[in-house]
Amino acid sequence: MPDRIYLDHAATTPIRPEALAAMQEGFKIWANPSSPHAEGRKAKQALENARERIKKALGWDGEVIFTSGASEAARLAFDNANVMHEAVSTAEHDALHHFVTDRGAQEIRFDQDGLINHESLKKACEPSMAAGNVPENRSLVAVQLVNSETGTRQDIDTVAAIIGEYSGILIADCAQSAGKLALPTTAGMVIVSAHKFGGPIGVGALLVKDFAMLKPAGGHERGYRRGTENLPDILGMAAAIETCDWHTTADQREAFIARLSRDRLTIGQQVDYIVPLVHPKMSAQALLIRLDSMGFAVSAGSACSSGTLKKSRVLDAFGVDDETASRTIRVSLGWNTTPEELERFADAWVKLT
């Protein structure tokens, strides 16, 4: 039986060897970075060095608050932002969307081209005062740069400009784009997750333009987070983000998409590493079973919701009809995906009946 082929990198991607090596070194620096003794100071030096390396690799000139991942970063932002109003796009990741809407946040809809509807965005920002001051009642607005289920890419600079007209703050979820696309420097806050770009699971960061956007929340991370920093994983995260190579070229990924273009679900501008496919007959659940038995690991929607038989909330937000959504799966590529693996999947896909 041929080796299995993993094409669910949007859920999590294998750890890069550079990250694993960095973690192993990190385990040798076994001390709390907040401790005043020599061992603690050595750990603190390694932590701060990793922070600067990550900022440089991401091109971020603001602050970096290490977290246990994207979910904690989102909660930290919304729990502690100096804002009075919250808004979220209808296609955000479940971990953020459910948390924020349960708090009564206003939702922002999309146009048919998959882009944020500007009038809906403006309405969500209306509680904020007009630009020109830094109002106490400004809004915090969450929008993904790249959608985790469809690969749809937002015009995030335009979104940020509209939010800025109302003196609001954009928090951009870049879990699916960090290490692959440039960060949106127009965002006030950015969410990143290490295991999406080849770092370890269980570490991420909230990037903040200015600490003044947040209320202090704990004794670690400059007073903005509770809990001892996970130094080995942070070192692995730094090593991973500094290594952004692919085993496939952009041309090879585009050729793969072109071969499957007949069945690709097209929603706006999409990246070349998240490919939603619609089978003409088979249901998503049947496809997952068949492909798994053939040696392919793919998914239907995000990892948080792929086990449910309900229609994807994200596809619904993008206006995909129920029948099409029921036959849609997600193929996602990673740093170690090879051209041969893409060819084998494409061959298998066209043979499915």
Side-chain angles (χ1 to χ4, degrees):
M1 181 177 179
D3 292 338
R4 288 184 60 82
I5 293 177
Y6 183 81
L7 293 173
D8 194 21
H9 294 268
T12 192
T13 197
I15 192 166
R16 294 176 183 267
E18 297 87 353
L20 182 58
M23 290 174 66
Q24 292 170 338
E25 290 301 312
F27 283 117
K28 299 176 184 178
I29 313 173
W30 198 248
N32 190 321
S34 297
S35 298
H37 45 62
E39 290 81 0
R41 294 196 303 273
K42 182 177 181 181
K44 181 70 169 181
Q45 183 180 19
L47 176 73
E48 295 306 323
N49 176 261
R51 196 189 311 274
E52 292 305 313
R53 288 164 56 199
I54 289 169
K55 287 170 63 174
K56 181 178 180 181
L58 290 172
W60 184 254
D61 60 2
E63 309 293 344
V64 173
I65 302 172
F66 290 117
T67 67
S68 61
S71 296
E72 187 199 348
R75 285 179 174 266
L76 192 156
F78 277 92
D79 279 344
N80 299 289
N82 284 310
V83 299
M84 290 292 289
H85 308 280
E86 299 169 352
V88 60
S89 91
T90 55
E92 294 303 296
H93 190 281
D94 280 349
L96 191 156
H97 183 270
H98 291 332
F99 166 63
V100 181
T101 52
D102 285 348
R103 298 154 59 105
Q106 187 165 347
E107 291 191 274
I108 305 162
R109 68 179 188 275
F110 293 85
D111 288 326
Q112 291 184 341
D113 60 3
L115 295 177
I116 288 286
N117 179 276
H118 291 178
E119 292 307 312
S120 180
L121 177 60
K122 291 175 182 178
K123 185 176 181 180
C125 293
E126 281 177 359
S128 297
M129 294 173 61
N133 299 308
V134 181
E136 293 183 357
N137 67 329
R138 61 187 171 180
S139 298
L140 179 63
V141 183
V143 177
Q144 281 181 326
L145 175 55
V146 173
N147 185 268
S148 57
E149 292 189 34
T150 66
T152 302
R153 180 176 178 177
Q154 292 300 313
D155 181 358
I156 208 73
D157 289 339
T158 298
V159 169
I162 293 172
I163 295 170
E165 291 174 5
Y166 294 85
S167 296
I169 300 173
L170 166 65
I171 176 168
D173 180 358
C174 293
Q176 294 294 344
S177 60
K180 306 176 184 74
L181 305 175
L183 287 189
T185 56
T186 51
M189 302 183 195
V190 172
I191 296 169
V192 298
S193 180
H195 75 105
K196 303 295 188 180
F197 52 75
I201 293 173
V203 64
L206 176 66
L207 314 185
V208 187
K209 275 285 180 67
D210 190 331
F211 277 141
M213 293 178 173
L214 295 173
K215 306 178 187 75
H220 296 277
E221 288 301 282
R222 320 284 175 89
Y224 289 89
R225 180 194 182 246
R226 297 180 179 88
T228 302
E229 295 94 344
N230 183 348
L231 181 58
D233 279 10
I234 289 170
L235 295 179
M237 177 179 177
I241 200 61
E242 290 174 330
T243 311
C244 295
D245 60 321
W246 284 80
H247 286 187
T248 54
T249 65
D251 286 346
Q252 288 168 334
R253 296 191 294 274
E254 285 301 320
F256 171 70
I257 292 172
R259 186 175 176 192
L260 301 174
S261 60
R262 185 195 65 175
D263 297 325
R264 186 189 187 193
L265 178 64
T266 303
I267 303 175
Q269 180 184 0
Q270 292 167 291
V271 295
D272 62 6
Y273 52 86
I274 297 177
V275 187
L277 295 175
V278 183
H279 194 272
K281 298 178 181 178
M282 295 178 64
S283 71
Q285 293 300 318
L287 287 166
L288 296 186
I289 294 170
R290 285 284 299 276
L291 288 167
D292 188 44
S293 68
M294 296 166 70
F296 299 98
V298 297
S299 67
S302 68
C304 297
S305 60
S306 59
T308 179
L309 295 177
K310 295 180 180 179
K311 179 184 178 183
S312 162
R313 176 182 51 78
V314 168
L315 296 184
D316 196 45
F318 281 126
V320 179
D321 65 86
D322 292 357
E323 204 273 332
T324 299
S326 70
R327 295 181 283 107
T328 301
I329 66 166
R330 179 188 68 184
V331 176
S332 50
L333 287 54
W335 64 272
N336 62 344
T337 302
T338 66
E340 293 74 21
E341 289 174 334
L342 297 183
E343 183 176 356
R344 275 183 54 191
F345 178 83
D347 288 342
W349 177 262
V350 297
K351 293 176 182 177
L352 285 174
T353 57

